[in-house]
């Protein structure tokens, strides 16, 4: 059977790609499209470093085959920057020192975006629950939660 | 990940025909949160992957006269948040909500959750660690417990105990249609009554009698991204006087290789006034059922202790909910 033709919409741009069926969305985003902001952590769905937003909701891109997300809007961390300016969530992460080694940051920022789009003033409990699938091995959770709280009303 | 050929059937009949006619090993792809990691780790092998997500009739939750019907490809998130489920069976939502992480629940399906592979590091990493093929992989040895005569891995099915006490029935399609109770679906660790060319199409949950209460508790080391050490499902149906127990169902997960009903504990509760003494007695009996193994997650002793605590709390909670119901 060989390669499959897939049409992906990543950060508002259409891509027509030929991919092997065993290649995950994460691999396609990093290696075919070349957007390296989406990180490969465990590659097993446990760490959340590979989180992308699909139609506005966070998913682990390492557990998705690209054929399944054709015609849907995929947003990676690179898609948050507008005209060279960081997204307010990214700015808040910097201001609150919520970045240590930075490997979990793209996933955490995207989870925060999905959460704040759905509920502009979530409780601390809800923020923690939303982040519960994103491991930060620097254990900087307190500052990540603080960064998200600094944006709530 | 290992290479495979990929198929996207548009109907159940087409999917089954693929499974029957493709040479080599075929696997169903539902949410992918279990299959894809297991393929990456070479714990499961497949020549063909048949994606079920393009079959519309497998998705969704609906209600008919006397039952709620859950399509097998309904995601755990949908199960945890569906108004129909949270209103009728809050404990089932809690069970679905307890699985893994928010990202995984968005993709993982209820049908896939019922068909999870054994949760055993020696099974998952046997190829990486160059261990002999174990019982879980069709071999004839256990790498986790020397001398064991069968697979000793605990089944991680988190929704199992909640669905069992609800009396869930499965509708299965293969060469022919069949139905069975969820209780008889689990056979041994990672092995179910489902043949490789069959699909669970629907999980049917009959309406609960009036004055019934349901509780589900999961004990794990972490709140998220963790399998249960022990999980407990309890459903009590009370007599109209709301004092005596008409029917009791107690199901345990993590106390053996598969989720099962603790019938001795159920007998103690049935027909009795639910008091602290009766609850403690049922909990004590439940903690002595099953055959929990000591593994890297918990000892046999600790699992029994947790089962006792869990049954005591779940029965109390189910009793409170049953008294408040109807």
């Amino acid at each position: 059977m060989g390669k499959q033709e897939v049409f992906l919409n990543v950060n508002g741009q259409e891509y027509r790609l030929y991919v092997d069926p065993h290649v995950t969305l994460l691999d396609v985003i990093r290696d075919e499209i070349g957007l390296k902001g989406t990180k490969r952590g465990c590659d097993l769905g446990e760490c959340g470093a590979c989180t992308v937003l699909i139609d506005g909701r966070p998913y682990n891109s390492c557990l998705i085959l690209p054929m399944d997300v054709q015609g849907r809007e995929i947003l990676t961390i690179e898609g948050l920057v507008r005209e060279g300016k960081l997204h307010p969530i990214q700015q808040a992460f910097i201001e609150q020192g919520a970045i240590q080694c930075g490997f979990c940051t793209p996933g955490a920022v995207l989870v925060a975006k999905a959460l704040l789009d759905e509920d502009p003033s979530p409780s601390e409990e809800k923020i923690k629950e939303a982040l519960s699938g994103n491991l930060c091995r620097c254990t900087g959770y307190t500052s990540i939660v603080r960064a998200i709280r600094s944006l709530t009303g | 990940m290992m290479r495979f050929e990929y198929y996207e059937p548009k109907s159940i009949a087409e999917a089954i025909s693929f499974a029957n006619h493709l040479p080599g090993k075929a696997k169903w792809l539902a949410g992918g949160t279990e299959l894809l990691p297991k393929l990456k780790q070479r714990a499961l092998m497949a020549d063909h992957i048949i994606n079920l997500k393009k079959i519309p009739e497998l998705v969704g939750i609906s209600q008919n006269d006397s039952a709620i019907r859950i399509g097998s490809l309904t995601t755990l998130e949908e199960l945890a948040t569906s108004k129909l489920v949270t209103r009728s069976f809050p404990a089932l939502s809690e069970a679905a909500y307890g699985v893994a992480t928010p990202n995984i629940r968005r993709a993982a399906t209820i049908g896939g959750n019922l068909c999870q592979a054994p949760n055993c590091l020696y099974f998952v990493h046997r190829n990486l660690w160059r261990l002999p093929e174990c019982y879980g992989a069709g071999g004839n040895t256990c790498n986790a417990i020397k001398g064991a005569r069968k697979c000793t891995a605990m089944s991680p099915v988190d929704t199992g105990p909640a669905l069992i006490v609800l009396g869930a029935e499965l509708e299965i399609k293969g060469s022919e249609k069949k139905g069975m109770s969820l209780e008889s679906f689990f056979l041994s660790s990672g092995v179910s009554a489902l043949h490789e060319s069959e699909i669970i199409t629907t999980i049917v949950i009959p309406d609960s009698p009036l004055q019934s209460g349901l509780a589900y508790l999961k004990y794990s080391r972490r709140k998220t991204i963790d399998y249960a050490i022990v999980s407990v499902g309890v459903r009590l149906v009370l007599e109209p006087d709301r004092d005596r127990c008409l029917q009791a169902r107690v199901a345990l997960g993590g106390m053996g290789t598969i989720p099962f009903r603790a019938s001795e504990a159920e007998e103690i509760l049935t027909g009795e006034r639910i008091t602290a003494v009766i609850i403690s007695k049922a909990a004590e009996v439940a903690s002595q059922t099953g055959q929990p193994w000591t593994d890297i997650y918990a000892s046999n002793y600790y699992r029994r202790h947790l089962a006792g605590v869990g049954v005591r709390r779940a029965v109390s909670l189910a009793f409170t909910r049953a008294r408040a119901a109807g």
Side-chain angles (χ1 to χ4, degrees):
Chain A
M1 189 182 278
K3 291 186 190 275
Q4 307 261 326
E5 183 183 32
V6 292
F7 294 89
L8 295 181
N9 177 337
V10 181
N11 301 335
Q13 202 170 330
E14 293 287 343
Y15 293 88
R16 179 185 181 185
L17 303 158
Y18 291 89
V19 298
D20 282 318
H22 68 279
V23 171
T24 61
L25 179 63
L26 171 66
D27 294 328
V28 170
I29 289 173
R30 285 182 61 86
D31 303 336
E32 303 283 332
I33 299 177
L35 297 175
K36 305 283 187 184
T38 310
K39 302 299 181 198
R40 185 203 314 272
C42 67
D43 209 16
L44 299 171
E46 291 173 13
C47 72
C50 66
T51 301
V52 296
L53 300 190
I54 297 173
D55 291 340
R57 315 212 56 212
Y59 286 85
N60 291 330
S61 62
C62 75
L63 297 183
I64 289 175
L65 297 181
M67 289 77 88
D68 269 333
V69 288
Q70 298 191 76
R72 298 173 70 180
E73 281 179 22
I74 302 163
L75 184 76
T76 72
I77 192 70
E78 290 89 347
L80 287 187
V81 176
R82 288 273 175 274
E83 291 157 9
K85 272 187 73 183
L86 292 179
H87 190 278
I89 298 174
Q90 292 172 305
Q91 200 57 49
F93 269 59
I94 294 171
E95 280 161 16
Q96 299 294 331
I99 304 169
Q100 291 178 46
C101 83
F103 204 80
C104 74
T105 311
V109 168
L110 287 171
V111 164
K113 178 174 190 317
L115 175 69
L116 294 173
D117 285 350
E118 195 184 283
D119 177 359
S121 50
S123 63
E124 183 160 339
E125 203 50 41
K126 210 167 162 195
I127 295 172
K128 287 181 179 169
E129 151 63 27
L131 284 168
S132 65
N134 293 74
L135 296 185
C136 170
R137 290 300 76 168
C138 308
T139 68
Y141 296 107
T142 313
S143 38
I144 296 175
V145 173
R146 197 172 56 224
I148 300 173
R149 287 210 73 165
S150 74
L151 295 162
T152 62
Chain B
M1 190 161 27
M2 62 188 299
R3 291 182 162 272
F4 52 75
E5 299 288 314
Y6 173 84
Y7 306 86
E8 246 175 40
K10 300 283 183 293
S11 70
I12 296 174
E14 197 187 349
I16 291 162
S17 142
F18 276 136
N20 281 330
H21 294 106
L22 289 171
K25 200 156 182 64
K27 290 258 175 216
W28 306 123
L29 172 68
T33 58
E34 167 86 357
L35 180 67
L36 297 184
K38 292 282 192 294
L39 288 176
K40 290 178 188 185
Q41 294 167 305
R42 300 189 177 261
L44 295 176
M45 306 289 170
D47 304 307
H48 310 284
I49 293 298
I50 306 170
N51 187 352
L52 300 176
K53 282 202 277 290
K54 305 288 157 78
I55 306 177
E57 65 236 67
L58 292 178
V59 186
I61 303 173
S62 62
Q63 186 169 31
N64 69 8
D65 299 342
S66 57
I68 284 185
R69 298 174 56 82
I70 303 169
S72 59
L73 258 74
T74 305
T75 63
L76 293 175
E77 184 191 64
E78 213 178 319
L79 201 59
T81 54
S82 140
K83 283 212 174 76
L84 212 53
V85 175
T86 44
R87 205 175 46 220
S88 312
F89 312 117
L92 178 58
S93 318
E94 287 160 23
Y97 190 72
V99 177
T101 70
N103 280 9
I104 289 182
R105 290 196 292 274
R106 245 164 243 135
T109 66
I110 179 68
N113 190 247
L114 297 177
C115 299
Q116 276 186 286
N119 167 31
C120 171
L121 286 181
Y122 296 89
F123 166 76
V124 171
H125 297 303
R126 64 188 191 282
N127 290 321
L128 192 66
W129 294 346
R130 295 171 192 274
L131 297 171
E133 286 294 88
C134 61
Y135 292 113
N140 54 6
T141 185
C142 174
N143 298 315
I145 296 178
K146 293 286 170 245
R149 298 227 175 105
K150 55 179 184 174
C151 180
T152 56
M154 312 284 177
S155 171
V157 186
D158 273 348
T159 51
L163 283 169
I164 285 176
V165 296
L166 281 168
E169 297 276 333
L170 303 180
E171 288 179 5
I172 292 170
K173 269 194 195 147
S175 326
E176 52 197 54
K177 242 172 129 171
K178 66 180 184 185
M180 68 174 68
S181 68
L182 183 61
E183 218 184 315
S184 51
F185 175 75
F186 301 112
L187 298 180
S188 63
S189 188
V191 180
S192 70
L194 194 73
H195 294 299
E196 291 201 331
S197 58
E198 290 178 332
I199 303 174
I200 301 175
T201 56
T202 315
I203 293 111
V204 184
I205 306 179
D207 281 348
S208 292
L210 289 172
Q211 274 141 42
S212 65
L214 184 69
Y216 172 83
L217 296 173
K218 170 181 171 174
Y219 295 99
S220 53
R221 294 163 305 166
R222 298 183 296 200
K223 253 190 183 169
T224 54
I225 335 181
D226 208 356
Y227 294 121
I229 295 173
V230 164
S231 55
V232 182
V234 170
R235 192 184 80 177
L236 297 184
V237 182
L238 301 183
E239 300 264 17
D241 65 6
R242 298 188 181 191
D243 215 13
R244 251 169 231 286
C245 172
L246 187 67
Q247 186 201 56
R249 287 190 187 147
V250 178
L252 298 172
M255 286 291 282
T257 54
I258 54 171
F260 64 91
R261 296 242 318 249
S263 39
E264 294 95 335
E266 294 177 353
E267 278 163 28
I268 287 174
L269 296 166
T270 308
E272 296 291 333
R273 287 188 59 218
I274 301 297
T275 60
V277 176
I278 282 289
I279 293 175
S280 293
K281 210 168 138 191
E284 171 64 26
V285 168
S287 72
Q288 295 310 314
T289 55
Q291 194 181 25
W293 298 88
T294 294
D295 60 14
I296 61 161
Y297 304 106
S299 68
N300 167 356
Y301 168 80
Y302 186 58
R303 282 175 197 275
R304 290 204 184 281
H305 169 73
L306 267 189
V309 173
V311 169
R312 197 176 71 229
R313 291 183 184 164
V315 171
S316 308
L317 185 59
F319 181 56
T320 312
R321 286 178 176 172
R323 279 174 77 102

